[in-house]
Amino acid sequence: MADIIQLLPDNIANQIAAGEVIQRPASAVKELLENAVDAGATHIQLIVNDAGKALVQVIDNGKGMSETDARMSFERHATSKIKVIDDLFHIKTMGFRGEALASIAAVAQVELKTRRAEDELGTYIEIENSAVKKQEPCAAAIGTSISMKNVFFNVPARRNFLKSNPAETRHIVDEFIRVALSFPNIFFSLTSNGQQVFHLEAGTLKQRVTQILGNQYAAKLVNIKEETDYMNIYGFVGKPDTARKTRGEQYFFVNNRFIRSAYLNHAVMSAFDEMIAKDSFPMYVLFIDLDPSQIDINVHPTKQEIKFEDEKIIYAFVQAAVKHALAQFSIAPSLDFSLNAEIQQLDAVSKPFTSDKQESVAASSSLFKTFTQKNQAHFIEPTERSELKHWKDFFVNRDSSMTNGDAEKIQSTIDRQLSTDNLSNSKNKLAADALLLQLHNTYIIAPTQSGFLLVHQQLAHERILYERYSAAIHGKKMATQQSLFPVTVELGAQDAALLHDLIPDLQSLGYTVEPFGNNAFVIQGTPADVQQGNEKHAIELLVEQFKHFSSDIKFSKREKLVRCMARQQAIKAGQQLTQKEMTTLVEALFECTTANVTATGSPTYIEFKEDYLDRMFGR
């Protein structure tokens, strides 16, 4: 019987390795940018076309490569960073595995131009499906230019798994931002389909953070800087009022390498404990520097997860550094145990509780005895002035503004409705001409033929809007009210890419939004039934909520957008409503196809039937 195990051909082995390293165009962006940084470049350009599917090009002014190095760089496990096993535990560069270029060459058509300062001519190499198609001398600037064209052209199944262009562009922007934040001393630019998205001049870390995340953070960053013999931590956290409902603007770097760590994220969250809402996430850009021998970065193909030798020390250090910075900038709540001088002069503080005063208190109230005499705390004597004696008065004539005539009118209305036939159809549950009541500016009490409904005004309105927007986005567009004075809104690059993707669907819902230069948009019109004057905040909140939903993959983009719009535009709990507004709301609710729950499954109302009420009172 013939042997069946054999070595894989190099090109197939490279394609399998590429599956780990190059999952999408953004993976190649990360590897190529890190290589440019390792080459000592001070000026790095990233150019992408068709969300990186057609082209990913990185141009740097680094030290370049010799002809031999240029050819060797595409071999698997070819690296300049490791010579002996000990080097693996002292890595300070970004790329070191020697798989990036080999993996890219296995799944794309690659062109490389490179030249060192001491060479008169550079080297041009063309590789396709791991095979060198052309290698020749060429004129080239000092540094390296590498182009990855038609990614996954030879693995069509992988290409079919790529997401839409806006989604892939967001992944590319994410990777670009992570590298650009790590090295604020390097110039970076990103051009997508001929339009420049980022132009980041070299500068300080604070300048880079505000360049990328937006100028709105300029005055809301708290500086963190702690140094010890074991490790250093520096960077910025946002003040509590910058906390968002999404986890987007959170960046951890260890030795300038972006990492994901739920453990360290928990350390930051615990430092913000009780300063932000439980479901909010603080913004932070934090850098940890420590001896490379204390960490293992070779535990994940993309090197985004690392292992610390002593996690507990790192956790405690991060938590303490953030807490210290927040307290230092008078953001964390602090307790002042020294009493104000004016308070100290008050009689209650300055004068002692003398025996005469004790006797006068004891004579005036038996309550004093129960707390001063032994074994008496449980015994409180009833007195004629006891407030408990007249508890029934609390429920009688409490609302002086309601006349006897009003009370009789409400009672007769309820009696009239309860005496009519009880209809099972939910649309006919409401009593005709019923007087609706609002409780705590949140709930609406609506009498029915057999009891009453307790309607939650915000959840009810969410259901109404959800059905209205669903019909609009899948059929007839909603009416748009053109703005007399169009409003401009500026977003971060990631949010701008997201809004670009939402514009066609927003148009169906009544919003007219048009791109206006780099990451800016003009709001030309809003839905006709939405009050004007708050368009900018509405769009910003919509994008924020959409990102909050985006982790749930079971919903389509349109479904997420409809849910966001319904939640955003619904009247809120705590808003006072007129009788007409309450009637319109409740009637519209029962015209919905599914009136009893919101799209997320929360009840819009609870029904209390007469027989249930009777049982509660033992009747």
Side-chain angles (χ1 to χ4, degrees):
M1 193 171 178
D3 298 331
I4 57 173
I5 295 178
Q6 53 188 317
L7 286 173
L8 285 171
D10 281 350
N11 64 323
I12 296 178
N14 284 349
Q15 282 189 12
I16 293 170
E20 287 186 359
V21 183
I22 309 301
Q23 298 166 353
R24 52 175 17 116
S27 310
V29 166
K30 172 185 182 295
E31 301 291 349
L32 296 178
L33 287 176
E34 289 181 351
N35 281 348
V37 170
D38 286 343
T42 58
H43 192 283
I44 300 174
Q45 296 170 263
L46 171 62
I47 300 164
V48 295
N49 286 339
D50 195 21
K53 297 171 187 174
L55 172 71
V56 170
Q57 183 177 12
V58 172
I59 304 169
D60 69 64
N61 65 345
K63 59 189 178 186
M65 289 182 281
S66 67
E67 184 179 0
T68 307
D69 284 347
R71 178 65 191 83
M72 278 292 291
S73 66
F74 289 100
E75 296 296 328
R76 279 193 76 194
H77 311 307
T79 178
S80 62
K81 320 292 171 56
I82 300 171
K83 290 184 174 62
V84 294
I85 188 64
D86 216 36
D87 293 341
L88 191 58
F89 303 102
H90 297 88
I91 291 167
K92 292 192 175 179
T93 54
M94 304 303 289
F96 63 88
R97 290 161 60 105
E99 290 189 351
L101 292 185
S103 297
I104 291 170
V107 293
Q109 297 160 336
V110 180
E111 291 180 10
L112 171 74
K113 274 187 182 180
T114 184
R115 180 168 80 88
R116 298 181 300 179
E118 60 266 33
D119 296 333
E120 286 186 21
L121 285 175
T123 304
Y124 174 81
I125 296 179
E126 201 177 297
I127 293 186
E128 185 178 297
N129 198 14
S130 298
V132 177
K133 297 291 183 185
K134 188 184 287 187
Q135 179 173 344
E136 60 189 23
C138 71
I142 296 172
T144 301
S145 167
I146 185 165
S147 304
M148 181 187 81
K149 298 178 179 178
N150 303 320
V151 68
F152 300 135
F153 78 100
N154 54 348
V155 197
R158 291 291 301 277
R159 192 176 178 91
N160 292 339
F161 272 97
L162 293 178
K163 304 285 191 235
S164 66
N165 279 9
E168 292 297 340
T169 300
R170 286 201 300 276
H171 284 293
I172 289 171
V173 168
D174 284 344
E175 295 294 355
F176 176 86
I177 284 174
R178 290 164 187 169
V179 179
L181 280 174
S182 299
F183 302 96
N185 57 322
I186 299 175
F187 167 90
F188 285 93
S189 71
L190 168 57
T191 304
S192 176
N193 294 332
Q195 183 178 3
Q196 193 167 63
V197 181
F198 283 107
H199 181 94
L200 307 174
E201 294 289 350
T204 64
L205 177 59
K206 186 171 185 178
Q207 288 170 334
R208 182 59 54 90
V209 169
T210 52
Q211 279 176 329
I212 290 175
L213 302 185
N215 287 324
Q216 69 269 25
Y217 284 109
K220 296 188 175 182
L221 295 176
V222 178
N223 186 42
I224 290 180
K225 190 174 175 73
E226 300 282 352
E227 296 182 353
T228 67
D229 292 339
Y230 183 74
M231 62 179 282
N232 301 331
I233 182 169
Y234 63 94
F236 299 95
V237 294
K239 293 180 180 179
D241 61 336
T242 64
R244 300 280 190 91
K245 295 290 182 186
T246 51
R247 201 186 283 275
E249 284 143 0
Q250 297 185 334
Y251 298 91
F252 252 119
F253 300 90
V254 173
N255 292 351
N256 275 14
R257 184 189 304 278
F258 172 79
I259 64 155
R260 299 179 189 278
S261 173
Y263 190 66
L264 293 185
N265 177 68
H266 189 273
V268 177
M269 293 293 286
S270 62
F272 274 90
D273 198 26
E274 295 184 2
M275 288 197 290
I276 59 175
K278 291 289 183 188
D279 60 345
S280 294
F281 301 96
M283 166 265 166
Y284 59 77
V285 180
L286 294 175
F287 292 79
I288 294 173
D289 285 346
L290 75 166
D291 189 333
S293 63
Q294 300 292 329
I295 57 176
D296 182 2
I297 56 179
N298 198 30
V299 296
H300 191 271
T302 62
K303 303 183 284 291
Q304 286 188 3
E305 295 173 20
I306 66 174
K307 283 184 179 175
F308 295 96
E309 193 172 278
D310 194 332
E311 282 188 325
K312 290 181 180 176
I313 289 179
I314 309 287
Y315 182 99
F317 193 76
V318 170
Q319 183 188 37
V322 174
K323 269 191 172 179
H324 179 244
L326 292 174
Q328 196 175 7
F329 283 81
S330 304
I331 290 167
S334 57
L335 296 173
D336 187 3
F337 292 100
S338 58
L339 281 175
N340 188 294
E342 293 176 4
I343 296 176
Q344 288 179 331
Q345 291 170 6
L346 294 175
D347 286 355
V349 177
S350 60
K351 293 184 179 178
F353 191 37
T354 61
S355 56
D356 292 343
K357 288 183 178 178
Q358 288 180 25
E359 287 175 12
S360 66
V361 170
S364 64
S365 172
S366 61
L367 192 62
F368 175 76
K369 296 175 186 175
T370 63
F371 285 96
T372 54
Q373 294 178 5
K374 194 174 182 182
N375 300 326
Q376 294 293 306
H378 67 285
F379 182 67
I380 300 177
E381 293 178 4
T383 65
E384 286 298 314
R385 292 182 300 168
S386 171
E387 292 181 7
L388 292 175
K389 186 175 181 181
H390 307 289
W391 65 272
K392 290 182 180 178
D393 295 346
F394 181 78
F395 296 96
V396 180
N397 297 327
R398 291 297 293 171
D399 190 354
S400 59
S401 64
M402 182 181 286
T403 64
N404 289 336
D406 290 335
E408 287 172 9
K409 183 180 177 184
I410 292 171
Q411 187 61 48
S412 65
T413 303
I414 294 172
D415 291 343
R416 185 173 71 253
Q417 307 317 326
L418 291 175
S419 65
T420 58
D421 293 332
N422 182 19
L423 300 175
S424 59
N425 190 338
S426 63
K427 291 185 180 179
N428 297 321
K429 275 185 177 179
L430 281 184
D433 301 323
L435 187 68
L436 305 183
L437 300 174
Q438 190 179 23
L439 183 66
H440 298 312
N441 289 345
T442 300
Y443 302 97
I444 298 170
I445 299 174
T448 65
Q449 290 91 345
S450 59
F452 69 90
L453 300 180
L454 188 64
V455 181
H456 192 291
Q457 64 188 42
Q458 180 174 340
L459 297 178
H461 200 207
E462 273 187 34
R463 163 48 70 178
I464 295 163
L465 292 177
Y466 173 78
E467 294 204 0
R468 193 178 298 168
Y469 292 146
S470 289
I473 209 163
H474 293 107
K476 189 179 178 184
K477 292 184 178 180
M478 295 185 74
T480 300
Q481 182 178 359
Q482 293 299 316
S483 302
L484 194 58
F485 302 102
V487 179
T488 304
V489 58
E490 286 191 26
L491 301 173
Q494 294 152 299
D495 292 350
L498 178 62
L499 186 56
H500 263 293
D501 197 21
L502 294 178
I503 285 176
D505 291 323
L506 281 173
Q507 209 148 12
S508 300
L509 298 174
Y511 275 103
T512 304
V513 181
E514 297 174 359
F516 187 64
N518 257 3
N519 303 334
F521 299 84
V522 177
I523 305 168
Q524 299 280 13
T526 57
D529 58 348
V530 172
Q531 188 175 358
Q532 289 194 324
N534 204 18
E535 298 90 343
K536 181 180 176 183
H537 178 68
I539 291 294
E540 289 173 340
L541 190 61
L542 182 67
V543 171
E544 188 65 30
Q545 286 183 336
F546 190 88
K547 288 193 295 183
H548 189 52
F549 268 125
S550 62
S551 58
D552 204 333
I553 57 173
K554 68 178 181 239
F555 297 125
S556 68
K557 181 183 70 175
R558 285 184 164 187
E559 176 68 13
K560 291 173 190 172
L561 182 59
V562 165
R563 291 187 178 210
C564 289
M565 284 283 291
R567 179 176 294 183
Q568 185 201 79
Q569 298 296 342
I571 56 171
K572 301 297 182 278
Q575 184 174 333
Q576 192 168 8
L577 301 178
T578 64
Q579 186 68 215
K580 184 178 179 182
E581 288 170 335
M582 286 190 287
T583 304
T584 305
L585 180 70
V586 175
E587 285 178 352
L589 175 65
F590 285 108
E591 287 173 5
C592 293
T593 53
T594 310
N596 59 332
V597 291
T598 64
T600 55
S602 301
T604 56
Y605 68 86
I606 297 173
E607 186 173 7
F608 292 84
K609 293 192 175 179
E610 188 179 6
D611 55 350
Y612 172 70
L613 296 172
D614 287 343
R615 285 199 305 274
M616 285 179 67
F617 287 96
R619 305 297 292 173

